[in-house]
Amino acid sequence: MPTVNIDKLALFEALGKNYTTEEFFELCFHFGIELEEDTSEKDMAEKEGAKDAEDLSERPLLKIDIPANRYDLLCQEGLARALRVFEGKAKPPVYKVVKPANGKLQQIRVLESTQQIRPYIVGAVLRNITFTPENYASFIDLQDKLHNNICRKRTLASMGTHDLDAIQGPFTYEALPHKDIKFVPLNKDVEVDGDELMELYSEDKHLGKFLHIIRDSPVYPVVFDSNHVVCSLPPIINSDHSKITLNTKNVLIEITATDEHKASTALNTLVTMFSEYCAEPFTVEPVEIVYPDNTTKVFPELEPRKASAKIDYINACTGLELSGEEICHLLNKMSLDAKVSAQDSNEIVVNVPPTRWDILHACDIMEDVAISYGYDNLPKNMPNVNTFASALPVNKLSDHVRRELATAGFTEVAPLILCSHDENFKFLNRADDSKTAIQLANPKTAEYQVVRTSLLPGILKTLNSNKKLALPIKVFEVSDVGYKDETRDRRARNERHLCATYTSKTSGFEIIHGLLDRIMTMLSTPRITVNDKDQLGYWIEEAIDSTFFPGRSAFIFLRYICPETGVRKCTRVGSFGILHPTVLENFELSNPTTAIEMNLEPFI
């Protein structure tokens, strides 16, 4: 949930009332947001132990938690506007797309070369806008919030804002080799090419974290004006030539993206929030986008969307008995233009404004009715049916196994479910077949690259962090691992595993073997031989597994009746043995360790 810092005095001035902290907390609660803290820049810095806190402003700030899908509430302008409508002090604005007086739209032509890196671009113009230090700061801050939220740290979309009077349309959006792009970056005075730009910002705390998005591409995206002056190199930085200032009157906004819908959503949010400062409030000038196949699109798209919900559905979910007119009034408080359908008296038709991308389904409309009515005011009714809670069979079995292992003197650990690729494969002397492990597309660090397919790496990392403990060290984990599974809708599945290790000056193979026998006894699974075709139970066979020391490991096999099909099955459920010295060396362990890992799901 994003947290925004709003100037308290400016917000209360916009709302037309000076609230106490308690009153504003209640207002936020009723609106579906949360006031986290009434503070100031200085107070926040002092709590964080900053050394320069004395130099910061004591002007009061409100830290407010905003729902992640309410992009329109990420700035003071949108929050004040929504709260004024909620309190009945104003009506929702009507946003208009207005062509320039000469009828000629600004145009951005997209070249074919962009298709290999960031294929989409959208744009708009804010004409005759008036900036003040306060709304200019809010304008920049909203872009940062959108970059971190819907734009997923600029990977899906990135914004560029330009002083339109400093550049000349029509514009082109293309992708060029690094050395062919030369310009002066924002707030710099030295011209650089693409490679020099990467070097310049490699240590920058703000922009350095975005360089990886395009660094390895043979071409970089770039926006030029008609004079071939660079406007921006997305998603990194704009040109100093077209930077906006407090004196800027006409702003060109361009958003490049790998996802056109995200770009359009971000554009609509930005222009609807700050078009109120234009000479003609809430008007936006469109921009024409011409794609390589000569198809054209015009942005922004500010026409309201149609959505609907049944009256009886809303009343059933909220426990209310509201009429259509009452529901429409409640939705109007949430900035939604609603009316009863002329064709169906049981249906509410809603004109969803371009600021409310969170309205996707009838349940979202119902939720806004409940918020507007007040969650505290909803009737409290006992359910019409009695139900009895019970644990899922896999969790119930897991708890029994945990209790048995704890009784045997083992200590439970809880490592993370993500690990590095090397820890999951190379460190265990295992090969990656590319068909098993679920890999993260964009891992934040090398430590979290894959979803573990074994519990063993996490336990061995835990042992590494606790080498100073007295021997023997006996630990276990009962938890899930993840696998790719193309037969499932989500193309992945979880599997509940047990893993336990014994670390001492001697291997303790007999300890782990005895633990296996005790677990099987607890699970009422007798030991049989492979030739006992008519009996159900488990047996072990010598294993050839590079994770374990040669000749000191075994596979665990199980013959059981599948609960889903009722058919007998024979499968390998696990393995145990003395860990290979190279595995111990990879995890920086010096004492012999014996481990067991097995799948618990066939025992359910």
Side-chain angles (χ1 to χ4, degrees), residues 14 30 37 49 72 127 130-131 169-170 217 221 236 276 290 322 341 344 355 442 457 479 500 522 562 581 588:
H30 291 140
E37 191 176 5
D72 58 311
R127 287 282 183 187
T130 301
F131 281 122
S217 172
I236 309 303
E276 72 172 79
V290 183
L322 300 173
S341 171
D344 184 355
T355 54
N442 186 27
S479 190
M522 185 271 293
C562 177
E588 300 178 6

Side-chain angles (χ1 to χ4, degrees), residues 471-472 502-508 591-592:
L471 297 176
Y502 178 90
T503 301
S504 188
K505 293 182 178 180
T506 57
S507 67
N591 290 304

Side-chain angles (χ1 to χ4, degrees), residues 488-535:
R488 304 289 182 95
D489 289 340
R490 59 184 180 273
R491 300 172 64 191
R493 63 182 171 85
N494 287 1
E495 196 171 274
R496 187 63 55 87
H497 278 206
L498 149 71
C499 184
T501 63
Y502 178 90
T503 301
S504 188
K505 293 182 178 180
T506 57
S507 67
F509 183 88
E510 69 283 0
I511 302 293
I512 292 298
H513 195 171
L515 182 67
L516 169 64
D517 292 339
R518 178 57 198 148
I519 291 170
M520 291 302 187
T521 301
M522 185 271 293
L523 294 173
S524 301
T525 304
R527 184 169 180 176
I528 60 175
T529 66
V530 65
N531 297 320
D532 294 333
K533 304 293 184 180
D534 298 329
Q535 298 186 44

Side-chain angles (χ1 to χ4, degrees), residues 212-392:
H212 70 92
I213 301 172
I214 62 169
R215 185 197 292 273
D216 297 330
S217 172
V219 293
Y220 291 164
V222 60
V223 178
F224 289 106
D225 77 350
S226 61
N227 297 319
H228 212 65
V229 174
V230 172
C231 298
S232 68
L233 192 153
I236 309 303
I237 196 165
N238 296 336
S239 165
D240 191 68
H241 178 81
S242 60
K243 70 178 179 182
I244 62 172
T245 66
L246 292 177
N247 298 319
T248 298
K249 301 304 295 182
N250 301 301
V251 178
L252 170 68
I253 302 169
E254 46 86 4
I255 302 180
T256 59
T258 58
D259 184 327
E260 189 178 55
H261 175 71
K262 298 292 186 185
S264 180
T265 303
L267 178 68
N268 287 356
T269 303
L270 195 57
V271 298
T272 52
M273 293 302 100
F274 288 90
S275 57
E276 72 172 79
Y277 299 117
C278 293
E280 187 178 347
F282 306 115
T283 61
V284 183
E285 182 181 313
V287 169
E288 183 181 50
I289 309 297
V290 183
Y291 283 101
D293 58 0
N294 287 324
T295 59
T296 62
K297 292 184 179 181
V298 176
F299 294 95
E301 299 170 333
L302 301 184
E303 285 295 316
R305 296 177 291 116
K306 294 289 184 181
S308 63
K310 297 293 184 181
I311 294 176
D312 54 8
Y313 166 76
I314 294 173
N315 284 329
C317 291
T318 59
L320 302 172
E321 296 181 359
L322 300 173
S323 66
E325 288 73 18
E326 290 173 319
I327 290 174
C328 291
H329 174 70
L330 293 173
L331 289 173
N332 290 340
K333 290 177 61 180
M334 302 300 292
S335 301
L336 298 177
D337 179 23
K339 60 182 178 180
V340 180
S341 171
Q343 288 74 35
D344 184 355
S345 60
N346 188 42
E347 184 177 53
I348 300 295
V349 178
V350 179
N351 290 321
V352 183
T355 54
R356 294 297 307 274
W357 287 98
D358 58 304
I359 304 295
L360 303 174
H361 187 271
C363 65
D364 299 311
I365 298 174
M366 176 274 297
E367 180 186 24
D368 268 18
V369 171
I371 292 173
S372 184
Y373 188 84
Y375 282 130
D376 287 352
N377 301 323
L378 294 177
K380 299 176 179 62
N381 299 317
M382 292 295 293
N384 296 324
V385 294
N386 291 325
T387 59
F388 296 91
S390 62
L392 290 172

